[in-house]
Amino acid sequence: MSVEGTPGRAAPDGRPVDRNGFFLSEAQVRDGVDAAGELLVLTKEQMEVFRRRERKWQEMLKDWSKWMPKKRDKVKLRCRKGIPNSLRGWAWRLLCGADRLEAESPGRFEQLVAEAENPEHATGPLAEYLDIIERDLDRTFPHNDRFSSKGGEAQQELRKVLRALAMANKELGYCQGMGMIVGTLLMNMPTEHAFWSMMALQDPGLGYLSGVFDSGLGEIQVCGQVLQSLMATHVPLVHAKFKEEMLDPVLYMVDWFMVCFVKTLPWASVLRVWDMFMFEGMKIIYRVSLAILKLSQPELTKKKNGLGELMMYLKNLPESILVPDVLMPAALSINIKTKEIKAFRALAKAEYDKTHPPKPKTAPKVSPAAAPDSTPVGESKPIAQTSPVDVKPEIPPESPPLAPETSFVAGDRELLSVEAGDDEVSATPASSAHPVPHDLDSDEEDDALPPNPSGTDLDDDSDVDLDDAIGNHGDGGLAATDNFPNHDPLAQVQLIAVRDV
């Protein structure tokens, strides 16, 4: 973090990057901003404000088991403002319950890493997964210095985590989108923490991305139908236009849901969305999706626009509507009820199951001759980007240790995969096998929270907030816009899965 000086680090050839490893152009360095126009250098006064916010989060995270039950509204507001960069990994890990999963299985990560290296374990379909992981390493964050260095430290970390995930869930194996999720985690936390965070995000009981990476995109299709139902209420003109042009949601929302907007938004916005996602679960993904469509309504509803023009626009969304100060207030102003999502999901899932009956389970095959039943579709078409430069970012520091007695208390996530009418669940006590989220997402309470469009401090103290000081939210003005290209929606999704038939 720079104070009254030149920003950040430099590559061996002298060209700079921001703290997340994203490349900066000469013009951005000269102007002291990243690609989103946010400040790269803080004054001493701004830094003091930032440090005060850090201390607030440190105090909260060290006493997590007391904050969540008693002051969870404050936690939600702080997540919506944005988590300080230096504490983001620690906070994400607690919010998603990864710390609890890790504590339940000490040594499991290293065991899985060792198993993946053993040829006796990596046979048949699993060997196919591991081979595809190797080929995909270079395609994960290609415009980020940490991951663009072939065989570099970040690629080795990514390889470890993805291979361990494949070993942990041999039936699921590997899907290309996993690399973008894991890469985002690795930018903010150590390797093993990233593994357990990804395990938490895929846990069926925690209300995140369960089923999103399954073969056939079944869960993605269900999410798309839920989004379409929500559109009828919240963006009816866009909904009517898409119906007229027969534009199915799965043609444009796959990257939004599969990798939580990592391929779509400027990096500053990605971090803001993820800060809320870790607390609120999939509800915020629907909100951001609707916000994008709402902000795009004037363009999307033009009479002259046919299916081709709509798809082109959705592939190349204007950055002016995606920056945090525009997108976040729009998303938080959309009043979605959790029961609304659950009801729509029950209908969509029932309809999907009618046309996609489950296949009978068979014993897994281990023959090396087993072949994948889906193949890569092709590379994505990039949009105009700034020229990359080769630099080496710093590795995020180890998260501060938690007190041994700290117990897991979840955030606002909902079990959106349960059928409508199921009873709500409460937080699992410390002795439970798996943490289950509270039904903390009280609709009235949640939607009454202010969207904070002005960037003022929502904590109940009198501090001048960093948001007011530098016009940024949560990440200290140090997060740069992600420069890797948007991908085609369904046509460019490379769902890598080797399935037994």
Side-chain angles (χ1 to χ4, degrees):
M1 185 176 299
S2 301
V3 183
E4 295 183 331
T6 56
R9 298 161 289 102
D13 61 5
R15 291 177 291 181
V17 293
D18 72 2
R19 69 173 299 278
N20 292 302
F22 293 110
F23 307 124
L24 298 175
S25 68
E26 292 182 3
Q28 290 161 358
V29 174
R30 182 184 64 246
D31 296 338
V33 298
D34 63 16
E38 296 173 348
L39 292 173
L40 291 166
V41 180
L42 305 182
T43 66
K44 291 181 179 179
E45 292 76 15
Q46 291 165 350
M47 182 64 73
E48 288 174 0
V49 175
F50 180 79
R51 292 306 184 197
R52 284 200 295 271
R53 290 193 63 197
E54 276 189 324
R55 286 193 290 271
K56 292 179 191 178
W57 270 93
Q58 284 176 328
E59 292 170 3
M60 183 169 67
L61 294 170
K62 289 177 180 177
D63 206 8
W64 191 247
S65 61
K66 294 182 180 178
W67 270 84
M68 284 304 296
K70 298 179 181 179
K71 298 183 179 181
R72 30 174 315 282
D73 289 349
K74 178 67 69 63
V75 179
K76 175 182 284 188
L77 288 172
R78 288 182 176 177
C79 287
R80 289 185 170 186
K81 285 181 58 181
I83 302 170
N85 267 332
S86 58
L87 300 174
R88 181 168 276 118
W90 186 11
W92 283 0
R93 181 168 168 258
L94 286 179
L95 286 165
C96 73
D99 63 313
R100 180 57 182 269
L101 296 181
E102 183 176 349
E104 291 172 353
S105 303
R108 178 64 171 155
F109 172 65
E110 292 301 334
Q111 176 187 348
L112 291 168
V113 171
E115 287 180 4
E117 300 294 338
N118 188 337
E120 294 182 3
H121 294 286
T123 60
L126 186 58
E128 297 280 355
Y129 293 135
L130 301 183
D131 181 61
I132 295 167
I133 288 171
E134 293 299 318
R135 298 201 302 265
D136 279 350
L137 292 178
D138 290 336
R139 289 188 266 186
T140 302
F141 290 106
H143 295 280
N144 183 289
D145 178 67
R146 288 188 63 193
F147 295 94
S148 63
S149 178
K150 190 172 183 64
E153 184 175 0
Q155 279 201 3
Q156 293 179 35
E157 293 173 354
L158 181 63
R159 177 180 181 271
K160 265 189 175 184
V161 175
L162 292 176
R163 288 167 66 92
L165 289 167
M167 297 300 298
N169 190 342
K170 296 181 177 66
E171 183 179 353
L172 173 62
Y174 169 71
C175 170
Q176 188 183 42
M178 293 179 180
M180 305 306 293
I181 299 288
V182 172
T184 302
L185 294 170
L186 285 171
M187 291 184 209
N188 293 278
M189 61 183 69
T191 311
E192 185 169 1
H193 292 179
F195 167 79
W196 286 111
S197 294
M198 187 61 174
M199 290 288 286
L201 294 181
Q202 294 180 275
D203 192 306
L206 295 180
Y208 289 111
L209 300 174
S210 175
V212 166
F213 299 107
D214 288 353
S215 176
L217 291 178
E219 181 62 25
I220 288 290
Q221 293 183 58
V222 170
C223 290
Q225 292 308 306
V226 174
L227 177 61
Q228 186 166 260
S229 298
L230 292 169
M231 288 170 60
T233 301
H234 298 281
V235 281
L237 296 180
V238 177
H239 177 264
K241 179 68 173 180
F242 284 11
K243 280 287 189 181
E244 177 186 342
E245 299 297 335
M246 301 179 66
L247 178 53
D248 192 275
V250 79
L251 295 177
Y252 61 86
M253 50 68 68
V254 173
D255 279 344
W256 297 1
F257 281 72
M258 181 173 280
V259 294
C260 301
F261 295 102
V262 168
K263 296 181 180 179
T264 305
L265 301 180
W267 195 246
S269 296
V270 169
L271 295 177
R272 292 290 305 283
V273 170
W274 277 52
D275 289 347
M276 293 184 284
F277 172 66
M278 291 293 182
F279 190 96
E280 302 178 42
M282 290 299 292
K283 185 173 182 178
I284 197 63
I285 304 299
Y286 286 107
R287 272 182 160 161
V288 174
S289 299
L290 291 170
I292 290 173
L293 297 173
K294 187 174 183 179
L295 291 168
S296 301
Q297 180 170 290
E299 182 65 29
L300 293 174
T301 55
K302 288 181 178 179
K303 290 184 178 181
K304 66 177 183 178
N305 285 340
L307 180 61
E309 288 79 13
L310 294 175
M311 285 295 299
M312 184 62 66
Y313 177 87
L314 291 167
K315 279 178 55 182
N316 299 281
L317 292 164
E319 191 168 314
S320 59
I321 69 169
L322 303 180
V323 294
D325 287 343
V326 175
L327 185 59
M328 297 305 106
L332 294 177
S333 70
I334 295 174
N335 188 346
I336 301 178
K337 304 297 184 185
T338 299
K339 60 184 179 182
E340 185 182 10
I341 299 176
K342 293 173 75 173
F344 285 143
R345 192 193 184 285
L347 293 172
K349 184 66 166 62
E351 188 64 28
Y352 179 83
D353 288 344
K354 287 180 184 178
T355 56
H356 299 79
K359 295 180 180 180
K361 292 186 177 180
T362 59
K365 299 176 182 178
V366 295
S367 170
D373 49 54
S374 62
T375 55
V377 176
E379 295 295 329
S380 306
K381 178 182 179 181
I383 59 175
Q385 303 293 338
T386 55
S387 300
V389 269
D390 299 321
V391 286
K392 178 67 181 175
E394 57 198 359
I395 301 298
E398 177 76 23
S399 300
L402 297 176
E405 65 274 15
T406 300
S407 60
F408 172 81
V409 184
D412 254 16
R413 300 176 304 284
E414 277 286 347
L415 294 176
L416 298 179
S417 60
V418 300
E419 298 298 327
D422 285 359
D423 292 335
E424 305 293 352
V425 295
S426 58
T428 300
S431 59
S432 300
H434 295 284
V436 179
H438 248 314
D439 177 22
L440 297 177
D441 197 4
S442 169
D443 289 322
E444 293 77 11
E445 169 196 48
D446 176 75
D447 293 316
L449 293 173
N452 191 26
S454 63
T456 53
D457 194 353
L458 296 177
D459 298 342
D460 43 53
D461 51 39
S462 58
D463 286 0
V464 176
D465 190 36
L466 180 66
D467 299 344
D468 299 319
I470 63 174
N472 184 48
H473 296 264
D475 49 7
L478 299 175
T481 297
D482 177 26
N483 286 328
F484 59 80
N486 288 327
H487 288 216
D488 291 336
L490 183 62
Q492 299 296 346
V493 169
Q494 203 169 16
L495 186 67
I496 307 301
V498 184
R499 291 289 182 266
D500 299 318
V501 294

